[in-house]
Amino acid sequence: MAKAIAYANQKGGVGKSTICIQQAFDLAEKKKKVLVLDFDGQGNTSSRLAPRVELEGGSYEPVYSGTKVAELFLDKCSSIQVTECPCGVDLIYTPKNDPDLFEMEAVPLEQAMNPARHLKELIQNYDYVLIDCPPSLGRKLVAALMIATHVVCPVKLSGFAVDGVEGLLTTIIGVQQKHNQNLEILGIVINDMDRSVNHNKSYNELKSAIPELILSNIIQHRPPLDSATTDGVPVWSLRYGHVAAKEVRAVLDEIVEKVG
């Protein structure tokens, strides 16, 4: 049975796409069959994983084919075609700032169940399904969690402590109890931590409140990780990224170990 890992947080810029992308690279290198679902209307994960063509001036543009995530919300979606990515994973994509996917926040709850129904057979062909979730607590997050078997919550500590995590966990537990009893909360990944007093205070606050949910490995503030994500490459492929790579891979390995 495929392991479907959702990367979720209602706050943007916390590292959901970054960790999802790096996990995709890592599992592909380990010869696992991976499907990535980009439920974030911004389409950042899709733009980094999809095939790209070089434009004049040296810039690149992603090339998509097949089905996009917004189509999964339709009542009928007879044929699902994946985009084959250069790194060796398959992708159901979202183009940049897709208005069709943003509109899915207004659909009835029943329609948010459609992606899980449409993908039920397809995902059994994969070892892992990685789901980049939107920065919201709405319909698209519910749709993503309906597919997932596990959920990981990346967190940045700046201005974000127990109160910020509470709403997210409430939503996850609600979906777990009402719609997807097989969903497991893997835990919280501390990302982009620095040595400041505020970060240390927030970290201790979280660890005191929910110690069982804090992953033991932490990603410190590492500029090479931002560079790798921007360029759409594994952080361990950067010659100056070995410290960041060690931390990132420790987190990725812990997630896979917890999935089992």
Side-chain angles (χ1 to χ4, degrees):
M1 181 177 178
K3 305 295 185 181
I5 306 171
Y7 305 84
N9 193 319
Q10 79 273 29
K11 186 176 177 66
V14 297
K16 296 186 298 293
S17 298
T18 294
I19 296 173
C20 180
I21 291 168
Q22 296 298 320
Q23 191 106 60
F25 289 142
D26 183 62
L27 291 171
E29 288 186 9
K30 292 173 179 174
K31 307 302 181 185
K32 301 298 183 182
K33 193 170 183 184
V34 179
L35 174 66
V36 177
L37 307 175
D38 190 356
F39 271 76
D40 188 343
Q42 298 175 84
N44 292 329
T45 292
S46 297
S47 66
R48 297 323 190 264
L49 293 177
R52 294 187 285 179
V53 295
E54 187 172 2
L55 305 176
E56 292 184 12
S59 61
Y60 291 87
E61 183 177 276
V63 179
Y64 302 116
S65 60
T67 306
K68 68 176 185 176
V69 166
E71 296 175 59
L72 300 176
F73 285 81
L74 301 175
D75 290 333
K76 293 184 179 180
C77 186
S78 57
S79 178
I80 299 175
Q81 302 295 324
V82 300
T83 298
E84 296 181 357
C85 303
C87 67
V89 307
D90 290 341
L91 170 70
I92 298 182
Y93 74 96
T94 291
K96 183 178 179 181
N97 297 324
D98 183 20
D100 293 335
L101 189 54
F102 284 125
E103 288 178 3
M104 292 305 120
E105 287 301 339
V107 302
L109 181 60
E110 293 75 14
Q111 194 172 338
M113 308 296 170
N114 284 341
R117 181 168 58 85
H118 294 319
L119 292 169
K120 185 176 181 179
E121 292 186 10
L122 176 66
I123 62 178
Q124 299 312 314
N125 297 321
Y126 294 89
D127 299 311
Y128 292 91
V129 178
L130 309 181
I131 312 168
D132 187 15
C133 296
S136 69
L137 297 179
R139 292 290 191 256
K140 295 194 296 292
L141 177 60
V142 171
L145 294 179
M146 284 293 297
I147 300 166
T149 57
H150 302 80
V151 57
V152 176
C153 307
V155 166
K156 281 189 179 181
L157 294 170
S158 298
F160 195 95
V162 175
D163 290 346
V165 175
E166 185 177 359
L168 175 63
L169 294 180
T170 299
T171 297
I172 293 171
I173 292 169
V175 172
Q176 185 183 51
Q177 292 177 342
K178 295 179 181 179
H179 306 294
N180 184 1
Q181 295 180 356
N182 295 321
L183 180 64
E184 296 181 27
I185 302 174
L186 287 184
I188 293 169
V189 176
I190 306 299
N191 180 42
D192 200 30
M193 185 174 179
D194 60 33
R195 299 178 184 275
S196 69
V197 173
N198 286 338
H199 273 204
N200 192 56
K201 180 181 177 181
S202 295
Y203 176 68
N204 288 332
E205 184 181 5
L206 274 174
K207 200 167 184 181
S208 175
I210 43 176
E212 71 282 1
L213 289 182
I214 308 298
L215 268 66
S216 58
N217 290 287
I218 293 172
I219 302 173
Q220 302 283 348
H221 176 67
R222 303 296 182 192
L225 181 55
D226 291 334
S227 299
T229 302
T230 299
D231 294 340
V233 298
V235 65
W236 48 89
S237 71
L238 303 179
R239 60 180 179 81
Y240 54 85
H242 59 281
V243 176
K246 183 178 180 181
E247 291 180 358
V248 170
R249 278 196 139 153
V251 166
L252 302 181
D253 289 344
E254 186 174 359
I255 289 172
V256 169
E257 182 180 351
K258 281 180 170 291
V259 167

